[in-house]
Amino acid sequence: MTEILLYGLAKNETRDYMETLLATNCRNESDIQKVINHAKEHGFHSFRVATYNGEKPNFAKTLNF
């Protein structure tokens, strides 16, 4: 089962690596929008959606040889 992950930056935060995981239980676009709207009310911005299929990471693919 694919898990939808939603990240965002807190108010006044500009560093991308400081994202906060906002939700892991979204099932569709409507759920994502609900979380985004709620997070915006609390100052979050710069949202990013990612998916996770339960696979372990292959770090060798990320290295440049």
Side-chain angles (χ1 to χ4, degrees):
M1 178 177 186
T2 300
E3 188 174 12
I4 298 173
L5 309 171
L6 180 61
Y7 296 89
L9 291 176
K11 184 177 183 178
N12 299 322
E13 183 59 69
T14 59
R15 298 168 293 175
D16 290 342
Y17 64 88
M18 294 299 294
E19 287 178 316
T20 300
L21 179 60
L22 300 173
T24 61
N25 59 346
C26 296
R27 295 180 185 204
N28 54 45
E29 185 65 31
S30 176
D31 289 347
I32 293 168
Q33 285 306 312
K34 286 178 188 174
V35 174
I36 288 174
N37 290 338
H38 183 75
K40 281 181 178 180
E41 291 174 5
H42 294 276
F44 281 86
H45 61 95
S46 302
F47 301 99
R48 178 174 67 91
V49 176
T51 58
Y52 176 66
N53 294 318
E55 72 280 355
K56 60 184 176 181
N58 182 349
F59 293 111
K61 282 185 172 182
T62 64
L63 300 175
N64 294 323
F65 289 104

